[in-house]
């Protein structure tokens, strides 16, 4: 076991450097947002005082209360239905005897790698014909479909990691499949489900292109969409107010991240490799 | 019994019908102040009517207006944009209605000279432009002119140019003195269209340019004079008259710079009059771009046309609001906020800058020199001309490349 | 009732009920639009009137369109920034971390992962400010005396694409770092001990032990970053919109513009299918290169 001090110092320096590089844009934007309103800030200026005016102007001017609410509604819709459907499906794939698992998986694999930019056009016209554009459904339904492949693979891997003895014991006792699923298996993988929730929340919250196409009504915009329009509106050409708006939009995910960062990281890192 | 029932229900229907009518309006954000004011006036004069307004910044407007009008629940009244890119497409897709019956009802056509409304006339299939029915109308005129910083001009020993060559000399003198000759927000792309319009106007006969805009497929773009104009623009860029950062600066930032005292000239539209006036007061002046042999040239036209959606459940109400916008009181309101009305206002200009702007505008009208905007010519022209102009300004394409690309796009 | 001893041939159809809800959503909102896009790619359509069948014309037009070919080239440039650079950085760091354990790893990890959780719109707005002509980057360069280097980064024909690329590197390098470090820490030390016994130096260790053990992670990183580089609509939309000129245009931006601004839905669909095929091909290539060699 060879822990050379020199190597430790090197490692620390590297991580410190990396952290500074990562944090710099955040701090830059934060300083910009906290700067004195009306003053055209440039470059390196450290704010002389802390002004929250930009945040207030951004909030009232950009309709962000609606935007955050809309994003929240979409997220709840997508996450809840996706996890429900994917849990059932993953259970079936892993524990039940399904004929044709491999071709079904191959079909799901398409969804994993598919660039959804290719299919948004068709989704738009479908939604338009159904009269669903400008509604939360136009964002919720497609994102459920898009989240299904990853969620099924994720949950299946989690089911797989449950010791076989547990479910077999239950089966011998003659429990029905639903009982096995809900009373025995799901409690075992609650951490994994939580992590999946966090990931889906993040991806759905940050979704932009779909909203850009489906939502034309200012009141129905999701947070990133509202931010993009806000940044482009002539009256708010002031970068400080735009910076404040950006922080408003990033805040929910940031707050969730601060509390759940282990889940975020482990989710994207370990789970992805499992496949 | 039945008659009384019918009477009561009719009364109820009528009162409910006219109570709480909503009019939804979508406008480009340049008009936010005036429309907001007009909306309150209209609501006050028409109790029971509620007006919902929505404004979009220019880039978002251009990127999404067609989607919004094609939506299942589009605004009743919305801005379009002259030309094939927006208006032509809206008409071809049957998304907007012709306004002739309202124009007759409210007398709009009497407000303007014959032929002045050509940019709003379309065939019903949206394929022919310049004649046909009236699709869209606007109370505002917009011209592209040259704003200048008066102090700087004076300290450089220059005066308002009367020939393009004098303008060029002014640019060279400014650059040599270490000033930024022209403040340009090239990052957004479309502001360069205005610069091009002025340089083009200095060399190309405005009639030819207008004919090309209306009928790009059949009218020649690559005429010798236009090649001269393109070469001139490329030379101006190479000489550094736009500064080295113009492609990294947005339109709003460039104007802010100009207001803060950076840049001798700003080649843009009269919609900026109010902002420049409030930021620079008497230090800012305006003139119409002089042509190579004297006389004036300029882009410009009516402002964005108002359309009534074909899916509107309230076209008459929308037309009524439009009539309010075309009225004399509103014209005076426009004057007060520094816009240039298309009809003659009854009040005097409210600032020195406005005096000069109106003078420039009148000069353009008098010389019949308004050449609209290059991006109107084909459905894809807006993208093409912004991209190609950025290349010219950035030195990534030559004048000939520009001409070739534009000529190719004209055939679409 | 369930029976553990299921006869081989009997198929339990009720199990399919479990996968039905998921597959209904998937088929309706992913597979069906994909098929629809495929069919539309063989037509000429402005989104409103009738579709006109034109066979492979959209494909040939797109493939001979210089701007579209350029956009694909731009995506490949972005792959270098979004994928290769972060992976190399991540591997190097992971290599150092083989033998070192430091305190505060959890904090570093939390910080380095931050760019991953943000919307690309937020990231784009932040970097638009940093790259602004009077923004922090230029101010910093001026401060340390490098004024000639400062410029309008996102407005330069030569530097806009690399500037956007660098944003991608910034977003990804923390992810690859963490991914590879986690992978490295799973490598049993016996492998390194064995290598040392064989007299291997640090570099040989890296190539013979670390890299092969990280194969799974490398595949994941590659697929994840390459697909992002090829898609990438949000960031380009909010930073440059494809400009200046067409120097930062990418296929997904073309798809959007063609479909929704230029009324060329058939052409856009064809481009969408082409993009899908490109990504499928690259992913298959990655998996093939890194396949298990028996």
């Amino acid at each position: 076991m060879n822990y050379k001090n020199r190597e430790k110092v090197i490692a620390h320096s590297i991580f410190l450097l990396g952290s500074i590089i990562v944090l710099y844009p955040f701090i830059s934007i934060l300083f910009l947002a906290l700067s004195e309103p009306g003053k055209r800030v440039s470059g390196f200026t450290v704010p002389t005082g802390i002004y929250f005016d930009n945040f207030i102007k951004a909030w009232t001017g950009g309709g962000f209360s609606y935007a955050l609410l809309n994003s929240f509604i979409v997220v709840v819709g997508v996450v809840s239905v996706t996890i429900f459907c994917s849990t059932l499906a993953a259970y079936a794939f892993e524990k039940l005897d399904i004929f044709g698992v491999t071709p079904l998986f191959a079909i799901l694999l398409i969804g994993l790698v598919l660039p959804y930019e290719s299919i948004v056009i068709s989704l738009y016209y479908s939604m338009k014909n159904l009269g669903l554009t400008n509604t939360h459904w136009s964002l919720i339904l497609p994102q459920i479909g898009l989240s299904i492949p990853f969620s099924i693979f994720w949950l299946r891997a989690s089911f797989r990691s449950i010791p076989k003895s547990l479910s077999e014991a239950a089966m011998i006792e003659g429990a029905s499949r639903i009982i096995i699923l809900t009373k025995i298996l799901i409690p075992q993988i609650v951490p994994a489900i939580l992590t999946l929730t966090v990931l889906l929340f993040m991806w759905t919250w940050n979704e932009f292109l779909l909203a850009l196409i489906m939502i034309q009504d200012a009141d129905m915009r999701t947070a990133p969409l509202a931010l993009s329009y806000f940044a482009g509106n002539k009256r708010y050409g002031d970068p400080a107010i735009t910076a404040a708006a950006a922080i408003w939009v990033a805040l929910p995910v940031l707050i969730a991240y601060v509390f759940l960062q282990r889940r975020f990281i482990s989710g994207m890192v370990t789970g992805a490799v499992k496949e | 019994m039945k008659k009384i029932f019918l009477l009561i229900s009719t009364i109820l229907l009528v009162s409910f019908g006219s109570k709480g009518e909503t009019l939804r309006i979508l406008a480009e954000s340049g008009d936010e102040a005036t429309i907001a004011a007009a909306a309150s006036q209209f609501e006050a004069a028409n109790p029971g009517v509620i007006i919902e307004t929505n404004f979009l910044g220019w880039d978002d407007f251009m990127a999404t207006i067609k989607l919004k009008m094609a939506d299942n629940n589009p605004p009743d009244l919305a801005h379009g944009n002259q030309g094939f890119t927006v208006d032509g497409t809206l008409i071809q897709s049957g998304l907007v209605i012709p306004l002739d019956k309202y124009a007759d009802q409210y007398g709009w056509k009497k407000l303007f000279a014959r032929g002045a409304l050509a940019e709003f006339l379309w065939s019903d299939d949206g394929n022919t432009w310049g004649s046909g029915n009236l699709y869209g109308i606007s109370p505002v005129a917009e011209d592209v002119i040259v704003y200048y910083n008066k102090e700087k001009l004076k300290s450089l020993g220059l005066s308002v140019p009367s020939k393009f060559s004098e303008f060029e000399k002014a640019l060279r003198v400014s650059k040599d003195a270490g000033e930024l000759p022209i403040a340009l927000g090239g990052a957004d792309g479309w502001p360069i269209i205005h610069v091009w319009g002025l340089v083009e106007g200095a060399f190309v006969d405005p009639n030819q340019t207008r004919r090309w805009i209306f009928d790009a497929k059949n009218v020649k773009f690559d005429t010798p004079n236009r090649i001269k104009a393109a070469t001139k623009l490329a030379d101006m860029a190479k000489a550094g008259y736009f500064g080295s950062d113009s492609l990294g600066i947005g339109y709003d930032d460039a104007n802010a710079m100009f207001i803060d005292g950076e840049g001798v000239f700003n080649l843009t539209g009269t919609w900026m009059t109010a902002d420049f006036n409030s930021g620079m007061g008497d230090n800012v002046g305006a003139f119409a771009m002089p042509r190579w042999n004297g006389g004036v040239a300029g882009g410009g036209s009516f402002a964005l046309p108002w359309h009534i959606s074909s899916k509107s459940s309230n076209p008459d109400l929308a037309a009524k609001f439009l009539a309010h916008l075309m009225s004399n009181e509103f014209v005076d309101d426009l004057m007060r906020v520094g816009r240039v009305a298309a009809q003659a206002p009854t009040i005097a200009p409210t600032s020195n800058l406005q005096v000069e702007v109106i003078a420039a505008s009148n000069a353009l009208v008098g010389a019949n020199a308004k050449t609209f905007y290059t991006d109107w010519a084909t459905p894809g022209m807006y993208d093409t001309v912004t991209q190609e102009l950025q290349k010219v300004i950035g030195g990534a394409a030559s004048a000939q490349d520009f001409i070739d690309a534009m000529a190719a796009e004209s055939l679409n | 009732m369930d029976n553990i001893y299921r006869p081989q041939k009997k198929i339990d159809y009720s199990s399919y009920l479990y996968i039905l809800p998921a597959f209904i959503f998937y088929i309706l909102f992913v597979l069906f639009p994909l098929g629809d896009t495929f069919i539309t790619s063989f037509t000429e359509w402005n989104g409103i009137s009738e579709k006109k069948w034109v066979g492979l014309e959209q494909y040939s037009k797109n493939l001979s369109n210089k701007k579209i070919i350029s956009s694909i080239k731009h995506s490949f440039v972005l792959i270098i920034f979004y994928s290769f650079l972060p992976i190399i950085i991540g591997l190097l760091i992971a290599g150092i971390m083989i033998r070192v354990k430091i305190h505060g790893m959890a904090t570093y990890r939390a910080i380095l992962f931050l760019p991953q959780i943000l919307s690309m719109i937020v990231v784009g707005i932040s970097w638009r400010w940093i790259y602004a002509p009077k923004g922090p980057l230029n101010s910093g360069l001026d401060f340390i005396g490098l004024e000639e280097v400062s410029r309008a980064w996102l407005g330069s024909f030569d530097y806009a694409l690399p500037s956007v690329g660098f944003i991608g590197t910034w977003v990804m390098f923390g992810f690859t770092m963490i991914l590879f470090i986690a992978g490295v820490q799973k490598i049993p030390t016996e492998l390194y001990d064995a290598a040392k016994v064989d007299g291997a130096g640090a570099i040989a260790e890296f190539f013979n032990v670390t890299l092969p053990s990280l194969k799974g992670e490398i595949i994941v990183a590659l697929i994840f970053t390459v697909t992002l580089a090829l898609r990438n609509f949000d960031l380009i939309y909010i930073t440059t919109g494809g400009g200046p000129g067409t120097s930062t245009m990418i296929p997904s931006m073309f798809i959007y513009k063609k479909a929704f601004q230029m009324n060329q839905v058939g052409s856009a669909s064809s481009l969408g299918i082409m993009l899908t095929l490109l990504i499928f091909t690259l992913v298959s290539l990655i998996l093939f290169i890194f396949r298990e060699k028996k």
Side-chain angles (χ1 to χ4, degrees):
Chain A
M1 302 224 298
N2 225 343
Y3 298 136
K4 300 194 190 113
N5 273 338
R6 201 189 64 173
E7 283 182 341
K8 275 202 188 184
V9 168
I10 294 179
H12 267 288
S13 326
I14 293 177
F15 284 115
L16 226 52
L17 181 63
S19 301
I20 294 177
I21 295 178
V22 162
L23 287 176
Y24 179 71
F26 288 95
I27 298 183
S28 182
I29 278 292
L30 194 61
F31 279 177
L32 186 59
L34 290 173
S35 62
E36 197 179 326
K39 214 164 71 145
R40 287 203 84 87
V41 178
S42 78
F44 261 1
T45 47
V46 178
T48 48
I50 298 190
Y51 299 88
F52 287 109
D53 302 51
N54 291 320
F55 285 97
I56 299 176
K57 268 200 228 146
W59 180 266
T60 52
F64 283 106
S65 52
Y66 284 116
L68 291 178
L69 180 65
N70 288 325
S71 282
F72 184 69
I73 293 177
V74 172
V75 164
V76 166
V78 173
V79 173
S80 53
V81 178
T82 304
I83 294 195
F84 175 75
C85 296
S86 306
T87 310
L88 289 178
Y91 173 58
F93 276 126
E94 184 51 28
K95 300 291 183 191
L96 303 183
D97 224 349
I98 297 270
F99 179 72
V101 168
T102 324
L104 287 174
F105 264 5
I107 295 178
L108 282 179
L109 223 49
I110 297 177
L112 260 190
V113 195
L114 179 72
Y116 82 101
E117 283 85 352
S118 325
I119 63 173
V120 282
I121 308 170
S122 169
L123 278 172
Y124 169 73
Y125 285 106
S126 304
M127 288 293 162
K128 189 146 141 337
N129 289 334
L130 292 171
L132 286 178
T133 49
N134 265 328
T135 65
H136 293 118
W137 293 113
S138 64
L139 298 178
I140 295 178
L141 297 174
Q143 289 189 80
I144 294 176
L146 290 167
S147 309
I148 294 267
F150 180 81
S151 305
I152 290 184
F153 282 124
W154 176 267
L155 290 170
R156 174 177 161 265
S158 320
F159 279 129
R160 191 164 262 198
S161 64
I162 302 177
K164 265 210 152 51
S165 45
L166 231 65
S167 47
E168 268 166 17
M171 273 207 264
I172 292 174
E173 305 224 2
S176 81
R177 287 171 298 185
I178 299 277
I179 304 277
I180 296 178
L181 178 62
T182 52
K183 292 265 180 347
I184 300 180
L185 296 178
I186 288 186
Q188 287 290 313
I189 59 166
V190 162
I193 294 185
L194 224 53
T195 309
L196 181 61
T197 306
V198 149
L199 287 177
L200 291 178
F201 162 57
M202 173 178 86
W203 288 329
T204 309
W205 185 270
N206 291 339
E207 175 50 47
F208 176 72
L209 177 57
L210 208 54
L212 179 68
I213 294 175
M214 297 291 182
I215 305 292
Q216 304 305 329
D217 240 338
D219 293 336
M220 296 298 292
R221 291 180 192 155
T222 53
L225 187 63
L227 179 62
S228 156
Y229 276 125
F230 188 75
N233 192 326
K234 192 175 102 154
R235 295 177 78 229
Y236 297 104
D238 187 351
I241 303 185
T242 308
I247 293 183
W248 277 123
V249 170
L251 218 48
V253 184
L254 268 177
I255 294 176
Y257 182 71
V258 165
F259 288 112
L260 296 168
Q261 41 103 336
R262 266 207 210 107
R263 299 223 170 275
F264 273 96
I265 299 178
S266 75
M268 290 189 74
V269 164
T270 53
V273 185
K274 274 189 206 154
E275 313 162 32
Chain B
M1 223 17 237
K2 211 153 100 176
K3 279 210 186 122
I4 301 179
F5 175 72
L6 271 168
L7 191 62
I8 295 180
S9 49
T10 315
I11 294 176
L12 281 174
L13 205 63
V14 168
S15 57
F16 270 171
S18 59
K19 252 197 175 51
E21 276 185 277
T22 311
L23 189 64
R24 296 168 62 237
I25 301 181
L26 176 64
E28 198 269 336
S29 60
D31 273 333
E32 196 162 346
T34 49
I35 296 303
S40 347
Q41 290 166 352
F42 192 76
E43 279 174 333
N46 295 277
V49 172
I50 306 171
I51 299 190
E52 273 176 28
T53 56
N54 206 352
F55 299 99
L56 289 176
W58 174 256
D59 290 302
D60 290 320
F61 172 76
M62 284 303 285
T64 59
I65 182 62
K66 284 182 281 189
L67 275 177
K68 291 187 167 22
M69 292 305 278
D71 198 37
N72 289 326
N73 197 14
D76 300 294
L77 195 64
H79 269 149
N81 194 8
Q82 293 93 321
F84 284 95
T85 306
V86 180
D87 277 5
T89 309
L90 291 176
I91 298 169
Q92 281 165 13
S93 312
L95 296 174
V96 296
I97 61 175
L99 300 176
D100 297 87
K101 75 169 184 195
Y102 297 117
D104 291 335
Q105 179 183 345
Y106 292 105
W108 295 335
K109 291 188 184 162
K110 286 188 262 175
L111 298 170
F112 305 106
R114 253 179 65 91
L117 292 172
E119 61 199 74
F120 297 131
L121 301 178
W122 290 86
S123 61
D124 287 331
D125 59 11
N127 286 329
T128 310
W129 183 26
S131 59
N133 289 326
L134 184 71
Y135 282 92
I137 198 161
S138 168
V140 188
E142 283 173 346
D143 297 310
V144 181
I145 57 179
V146 185
Y147 291 91
Y148 66 97
N149 186 317
K150 283 196 171 163
E151 264 172 36
K152 284 197 203 281
L153 205 67
K154 202 161 89 171
S155 67
L156 289 168
L158 300 166
S159 51
V160 173
S162 55
K163 282 215 203 102
F164 188 79
S165 50
E166 289 173 26
F167 176 66
E168 255 193 295
K169 177 168 149 238
L171 294 178
R172 198 185 47 233
V173 169
S174 309
K175 178 111 178 63
D176 290 340
E179 297 279 356
L180 172 67
I182 299 178
L184 174 64
D188 294 336
W190 53 266
I192 317 178
I193 297 180
H194 305 144
V195 175
W196 161 247
L198 292 185
V199 177
E200 181 193 42
F203 292 95
V204 183
D205 175 9
N207 280 314
Q208 208 271 346
T209 305
R210 283 193 292 261
R211 270 189 297 122
W212 173 77
I213 290 184
F214 277 132
D215 195 12
K217 261 193 261 243
N218 299 317
V219 176
K220 205 163 145 72
F221 182 80
D222 44 338
T223 64
N225 279 335
R226 201 166 272 108
I227 297 179
K228 213 193 295 186
T231 312
K232 184 63 70 184
L233 182 68
D235 291 340
M236 284 165 68
K238 246 180 288 198
Y241 292 153
F242 300 107
S244 54
D245 288 339
S246 66
L247 287 181
I249 305 176
Y251 181 65
D252 295 323
D253 287 326
N255 287 332
M257 273 168 44
F258 180 68
I259 293 178
D260 278 344
E262 216 181 308
V264 181
F265 297 104
N266 193 337
L267 279 58
T268 185
T270 54
W271 54 82
M272 288 306 299
T273 306
D275 286 341
F276 287 159
N277 189 41
S278 66
M280 299 168 78
D282 285 335
N283 189 24
V284 60
F287 58 88
M289 174 65 87
R291 306 193 69 225
W292 66 277
N293 57 349
V296 293
S301 63
F302 282 93
L304 300 180
W306 287 105
H307 291 295
I308 299 180
S309 165
S310 55
K311 298 188 204 170
S312 170
S313 50
N314 244 330
D316 292 337
L317 184 61
K320 199 165 167 204
F321 184 77
L322 195 46
H324 174 69
L325 293 180
M326 300 297 295
S327 69
N328 284 326
E329 309 110 43
F330 192 68
V331 165
D332 289 342
D333 283 341
L334 286 172
M335 284 291 291
R336 285 190 201 99
V337 294
R339 300 299 293 268
V340 178
Q343 311 109 271
T346 58
I347 65 175
T350 55
S351 69
N352 285 333
L353 178 62
Q354 202 174 30
V355 170
E356 295 186 30
V357 168
I358 292 183
S361 191
N362 288 337
L364 287 172
V365 170
N368 198 11
K370 303 216 299 185
T371 51
F372 311 140
Y373 302 95
T374 315
D375 55 282
W376 289 3
T378 73
M381 185 55 81
Y382 183 75
D383 271 345
T384 303
V385 72
T386 46
Q387 287 163 2
E388 298 304 319
L389 282 175
Q390 277 183 326
K391 288 188 198 163
V392 171
I393 298 293
S398 68
Q400 191 59 49
D401 294 330
F402 171 71
I403 297 279
D404 292 338
M406 293 292 284
E409 175 60 35
S410 303
L411 299 173
N412 284 340
Chain C
M1 264 310 280
D2 277 318
N3 193 340
I4 331 171
Y5 303 106
R6 276 192 259 276
Q8 282 285 24
K9 294 299 180 183
K10 183 173 156 201
I11 299 173
D12 192 352
Y13 287 109
S14 63
S15 298
Y16 286 96
L17 282 178
Y18 283 80
I19 66 172
L20 205 59
F23 269 85
I24 289 180
F25 276 105
Y26 182 63
I27 293 174
L28 277 182
F29 297 105
V30 178
L31 292 184
F32 175 73
L34 183 58
D36 186 39
T37 306
F38 183 67
I39 295 181
T40 311
S41 70
F42 295 112
T43 70
E44 191 180 306
W45 191 36
N46 66 359
I48 319 252
S49 13
E50 291 289 307
K51 289 190 194 179
K52 201 174 86 166
W53 194 263
V54 293
L56 288 171
E57 194 182 297
Q58 300 289 13
Y59 286 92
S60 58
K61 266 207 245 169
N62 280 335
L63 284 170
S64 51
N65 184 332
K66 266 192 290 189
K67 286 193 193 160
I68 291 187
I69 302 293
S70 297
S71 73
I72 298 180
K73 284 195 210 156
H74 296 156
S75 284
F76 277 95
V77 170
L78 289 180
I79 290 182
I80 298 178
F81 284 95
Y82 282 46
S83 186
F84 295 168
L85 270 182
I87 289 182
I88 293 176
I89 295 176
L91 285 175
L92 286 175
I93 308 295
I96 298 179
M97 291 307 291
I98 299 173
R99 318 191 235 207
V100 182
K101 277 193 169 48
I102 57 172
H103 291 306
M105 202 46 218
T107 317
Y108 284 131
R109 209 183 339 199
I111 294 178
L112 287 172
F113 207 71
L114 269 175
Q116 284 293 311
I117 69 160
L118 293 175
S119 154
M120 279 303 211
I121 301 296
V122 172
V123 170
I125 288 181
S126 313
W127 278 92
R128 221 168 56 179
W129 161 243
I130 294 180
Y131 280 136
K134 294 213 174 73
L137 179 60
N138 284 338
S139 303
L141 287 170
D142 291 343
F143 188 69
I144 58 176
L146 281 175
E147 288 103 8
E148 316 90 56
V149 185
S150 68
R151 67 192 60 242
W153 297 98
L154 294 175
S156 153
F157 276 93
D158 296 318
Y159 292 97
L161 191 61
S163 301
V164 173
F166 185 71
I167 301 179
T169 310
W170 176 85
V171 170
M172 283 296 153
F173 85 99
F175 170 72
T176 53
M177 239 196 244
I178 293 172
L179 181 67
F180 293 144
I181 292 178
V184 147
Q185 285 172 344
K186 285 207 225 106
I187 302 178
T189 41
E190 296 86 53
L191 287 177
Y192 287 110
D193 296 336
K196 259 204 222 82
V197 165
D198 285 345
I203 300 189
E205 256 181 22
F206 185 74
F207 282 101
N208 293 331
V209 181
T210 318
L211 273 188
S213 314
L214 284 179
K215 194 151 80 156
E217 280 83 0
I218 295 181
I219 293 180
V220 166
L222 269 175
I223 294 183
F224 191 63
T225 54
V226 165
T227 46
L228 182 65
L230 286 171
R231 296 169 40 189
N232 204 22
F233 179 84
D234 302 3
L235 190 61
I236 297 282
Y237 182 85
I238 197 72
T239 50
T240 62
T246 47
S247 56
T248 58
M249 268 312 252
I250 51 174
S252 53
M253 181 61 80
F254 257 120
I255 294 174
Y256 175 77
K257 281 199 179 205
K258 272 182 184 285
F260 298 108
Q261 289 176 28
M262 292 164 40
N263 296 24
Q264 295 173 8
V265 185
S267 178
S269 303
S270 147
L271 194 52
I273 297 293
M274 284 164 59
L275 182 64
T276 308
L277 287 175
L278 181 61
I279 292 187
F280 279 0
T281 308
L282 284 176
V283 169
S284 309
L285 196 65
I286 295 173
L287 290 173
F288 178 74
I289 294 178
F290 286 90
R291 70 193 180 288
E292 287 293 331
K293 299 193 179 82
K294 290 289 188 284

